[in-house]
Amino acid sequence: MSEPQAQGKMQDLDALVPEAELLGKIPIGYARKHLLLPCRDADGSLVLLSGRPDVPETVDEVRFLVGPIRVLAAPGDAILKKIDTAYEKIHKPEREMVEGLSGEWNLDVEAAIEETRDLLESPEEAPVIKFVHSLLFRAIKERSSDIHVEPYEKELVVRNRVDGILYPMVAAPRKWHAPVVSRIKVMAGLDIAERRLPQDGRIKIRIGGKEIDIRVSIVPTAFGERAVLRLLDRSSILLGLSDIGLSANDLSVFERFLGRSNGIVLVTGPTGSGKTTTLYAALCRLDSGTKNIITIEDPIEYQIQGIGQIQVNPKIQLSFANGLRSILRQDPDIIMVGEIRDAETAEIAIQASLTGHLVLSTLHTNDSASAVTRLVDMGIEPFLVASSLSVVIAQRLVRKLCPSCKAPYVPSPAQWKKLGLADAPPGPFYSAVGCADCMNTGYMGRAGIFEVLPADDRLRALVLTRSDADGIKSFAVSRGMRTILAAGAEKVIEGITSAEEVLRVTQED
């Protein structure tokens, strides 16, 4: 077919209407593969659009299914577009195929969600697209931070993490697993044919005026690939230092060290404990317009005006260590390293703090004292740690009681003892109940609890003698440091959270 002929046929396509009755006889996968679409023209006669009219076998197979039909050649990309539109209209979401999404199917999620790519590859993928979009819509509506898509022997289970706790949301038939994971892979730009190796990707969507970045992780398991989607709301308002839950005394100590021109400030805690939020709050406090602030992050969760932010990219060997080396050639005043994962990054960060830079970073340790010994265990000389370290902040996030349904109660003596309090102070105290506002969990939102360990001369002496974490913590407590457990107990006394929640987060038995 010559190019002028193709353009001529292209002009006729808008007048052709896909024949819905015949589409049910031809699987969409077959139609896309062979570029075939049965239509009716203006006078009502049947026409078969074909992108490969020179392959008579496929045309003959269609004629066997639908009867006599006239063949009309057309460009393949135009046929694919009409195929996607036609099949998406005739495939309606089937309620009996998905349990637990009652009511959500009525939401016009495809109109609400904007994305850059869309693909239909199997006869069932139109409802699968609706299903995946509904999962995203519901997760954002319910303030979820993560979506877990988990295959099992006889079913596909979807769970959402809300305020740090996983809740089951959807149970679907096992046959939905492969199409759902393939759809997620397509949206994230991953290889849908690779099912043996882990894959990581990203999705960007806009829903209800919110820009959502989604980090996608796919790993193979015994029952198939498991997908975890981390939702990052770029439109969220950044919290200030005074809003994250620091006590007045801890806030004063933290701000004093942030005001210095050099040294290293570490924020520690397990994954999901709010370390990044604390670092962003510190950066917002430091950004006076007179300093050169550069960060290297994985990922960049929030864009901050006036700050240079670098995204880690392992594919081009842009690691934390390599990026940090480049940052030091940019004449920075303040550097934020998203995470110290290895000795190389730790060594460069400490050297930067010793050469006149204020460095902020995170470590994965359980408490503030363990962060000090962790650096030594990574191979950093104790004298370098002692010379560079300014302050360590350990933190957790506790769920806040729902204001609509929290009920007064009296904690048991055993609970007060576990919280480190000999006697119960005067109440009232509250426990979780559950209502429609909080999805019957009894909690809504989270607050931070912190312990702040400043590095003074006596602490540096302990580091130089390679004191263990318990020795450093005991010394800090004797000097007035409030532990995470004590900070949690204060939140219970203030009626912000429950004793059970604090003991759960601090892992006290």
Side-chain angles (χ1 to χ4, degrees), residues 21-35:
E21 185 176 344
L22 299 182
L23 294 181
K25 298 181 180 181
I26 302 175
I28 187 174
Y30 183 90
R32 287 180 60 88
K33 180 179 179 181
H34 298 289
L35 299 176

Side-chain angles (χ1 to χ4, degrees), residues 416 419 421 425-430 486 488-497:
W416 285 119
L419 288 172
L421 301 172
F429 309 105
Y430 298 92
E490 185 174 306
K491 290 287 192 290
V492 174
I493 294 170
E494 293 173 353
I496 295 173
T497 189

Side-chain angles (χ1 to χ4, degrees), residues 126-172:
V128 166
I129 288 176
K130 193 81 169 179
F131 175 69
V132 173
H133 286 185
S134 294
L135 294 180
L136 293 172
F137 189 93
R138 180 171 179 177
I140 295 166
K141 178 183 176 183
E142 295 178 354
R143 304 176 292 105
S144 303
S145 61
D146 302 83
I147 304 172
H148 291 240
V149 180
E150 304 168 346
Y152 295 100
E153 185 176 4
K154 296 182 180 180
E155 64 179 353
L156 173 68
V157 175
V158 179
R159 297 191 293 169
N160 288 358
R161 188 180 296 279
V162 181
D163 292 334
I165 304 295
L166 276 172
Y167 298 98
M169 291 294 175
V170 179

Side-chain angles (χ1 to χ4, degrees), residues 231-244:
L231 308 177
L232 303 172
D233 185 356
R234 286 189 173 274
S235 62
S236 297
I237 299 174
L238 287 174
L239 297 177
L241 275 182
S242 58
D243 303 320
I244 62 176

